[in-house]
Amino acid sequence: MKQSASQKELLGLATQRYAENIYLAEDYLKNRGISIAIARLASLGVVAEPEIGHEAFKGRLSIPYVTKTGVVDLRFRSLNPAVEPKYMGTTGAETKMYNVLDVERAGDWIGVCEGELDTITLSSCVGIPCVGVPGANSWKKHYTRLLADFERVFVFADGDQPGTEFARSLARELPVTIVQLPDGEDVNSAYVKYGAAYIKEKAGIV
């Protein structure tokens, strides 16, 4: 379903307002190796005062899906590990690819991973242009077309069964290089533990 201009405008305004409160997530982001400067680049925010319809997301990290035409979706992550579900989205929103602006800024190759914060980690902390999907089962056929012109597509597979299966399913769609992360690790946790150089080395990118 195509979004109306007014829907996009409301999403954009909510993104701006929540971004003003990003300092409330500073400790959480610091533990994940993401600076406030990088969080601001990604327009991350905190829902301190919810917009109408966003009451259920109060206190959560807001993660906007930004395209050339503006903000097309917002997802919300719990800042408290004990609170489930970890991620929530607006009712009726379709799953979208995250960080699509990197498709244009990438050169001959691009990375793909699960999770928005993992995508931010690869793109802004490690320096590997990257797009992401919210979860292992979120890939859609038209995403494949979006990446078809790249010489190489690096798929960063989480160190669990869904991550491995996600990478293998993409390998059936595209000529990919699978970068398998250690058991129990994802891009962000591997970056925090081992650093950017480790991830580049795993991918063979020097």
Side-chain angles (χ1 to χ4, degrees), residues 23-41:
Y23 66 92
L24 296 172
E26 187 167 8
D27 289 344
Y28 170 81
L29 293 168
K30 191 176 176 182
N31 288 333
R32 301 200 63 168
I34 297 170
S35 68
I36 286 290
I38 284 172
R40 287 200 171 109
L41 272 178

Side-chain angles (χ1 to χ4, degrees), residues 113-132:
C113 70
E114 287 177 60
E116 296 94 347
L117 296 181
D118 296 85
T119 306
I120 290 169
T121 301
L122 267 183
S123 180
S124 296
C125 303
V126 180
I128 296 175
C130 182
V131 293

Side-chain angles (χ1 to χ4, degrees), residues 111-114 118 122 128 136 152-171 176-191 194 198-205:
V112 178
C113 70
E114 287 177 60
D118 296 85
L122 267 183
I128 296 175
R152 291 183 81 185
V153 176
F154 295 93
V155 181
F156 291 81
D158 287 359
D160 56 21
Q161 192 176 348
T164 302
E165 287 171 2
F166 170 65
R168 285 177 182 161
S169 69
L170 256 64
V176 302
T177 299
I178 295 174
V179 183
Q180 183 64 57
L181 294 163
D183 286 353
E185 305 288 359
D186 58 22
V187 165
N188 181 259
S189 66
Y191 168 71
Y194 309 119
Y198 167 84
I199 293 175
K200 284 184 172 177
E201 194 177 317
K202 286 282 283 182
I205 299 166

